[in-house]
Amino acid sequence: MAVTSTHALGNQLASPPASASAPAGPLLPTRLVALPERTVANGTEPLRVLLSASVAANSPPPTLRPAVAGAWTAVANTEVFTPASTLQPCSTYTLTVWANTLSTGHSRLGRRHVLGLHVACPPIAGIQQALARLGYLGAVLRPMYSVRIAPGPETRSQAAVHAFRPPRGRLASDPADAPAVVMGQLDETTRGALTVYQSDHGLAASGEPDYATWASLLAAETAYRRNPKPYTWVSVSEAEPETLEVHRGRHVALSTPANTGVPGAETPQGIFPIFARDISTTMSGTDVDGTKYVVPDVPWVNYFTGGDAVHGYPRASYGSPQSNGCVELPIETAHVVFGMLAVGDIVDVTG
């Protein structure tokens, strides 16, 4: 009886009752369900990494390189990075999701995932509105909806939001006779204003928005570092007597008779940023009658399109078409005008 009873007990220990659960199998690995798009359209918006289940408390957050101010938080099955202000416009980052990433009730991810991210440059309307607020563009925003951006310093976050999501509307010339601006287009007026800004801030004066330009603009808006000079441009009227005026803000700072191109070598009409300047240069070309010319020591030269420039030239009179396409001024007046202008300033030629 004793032997039988012990054997029976042994059999009971070896065979669990039918109600006991089966031994647990291996945990399913954590999976990545979704990663951010490789192109980040708006650097102010959060980045999200979705896992296959809720994020475990001891899971390491992803990392961004270069480092950027902000914080990772776990929300259900999502790791969320919220920038303190923005990812830098026109830049690239590396997002790393670590091999030890862990979802609740799962095993670790198992291998590291690395994703390259490109943050887009903000739209042209964003850079136009920034240049206008800082006094580098002769325009004021007329919003489509009731939006008011108060003058003065902005936080970096506000400046970045306005850059990536500029208010809709139009940019009205301010003053009213300033060169026209087309909202959302890198037109000649905008390109010129951007060139002046870049030159003033020690940047490559390309007239194109890039990483360095946006880094500078966001800093300038945060500190409200406005253009120390009035918005400046040149208007040329081909209505006789022909004139050139230098505008500084709401004032005409200089007005003078000028000569433009003769028939067959007309001065082109339109809006043109000054792209090069020389104290003195040699000009050569062909007159409308086919005669070749070479003229040394042409003074105070501001090139605005092709080989055409505002410059000094000795003539018996001024105020009528006499040049080979350039805008000619009395030499002493050209000297004064040269000192008032910079690369990027607009020459606006009208009939």
Side-chain angles (χ1 to χ4, degrees), residues 221-293:
E221 289 192 276
T222 300
Y224 202 51
R225 291 195 296 268
R226 286 179 54 82
N227 187 352
K229 305 181 296 291
Y231 180 68
T232 300
W233 80 97
V234 170
S235 63
V236 177
S237 171
E238 294 189 294
E240 295 191 42
E242 296 184 323
T243 58
L244 176 145
E245 293 180 337
V246 179
H247 303 254
R248 283 189 164 176
R250 301 184 183 281
H251 304 287
V252 175
L254 182 147
S255 181
T256 179
N259 300 330
T260 64
V262 298
E266 292 87 352
T267 302
Q269 295 184 2
I271 292 173
F272 309 97
I274 294 169
F275 65 86
R277 285 160 36 94
D278 287 309
I279 292 174
S280 178
T281 191
T282 297
M283 289 188 171
S284 60
T286 305
D287 283 328
V288 292
D289 62 3
T291 304
K292 303 288 185 182
Y293 64 87

Side-chain angles (χ1 to χ4, degrees), residues 53-73:
S54 295
V55 181
N58 59 337
S59 180
T63 57
L64 278 173
R65 291 291 182 270
V68 59
W72 286 96
T73 55

Side-chain angles (χ1 to χ4, degrees), residues 41 61 82 119 159 163 173 234 277 310 332:
T82 304
V119 184
S173 295
V234 170
R277 285 160 36 94
V310 174
E332 286 306 313

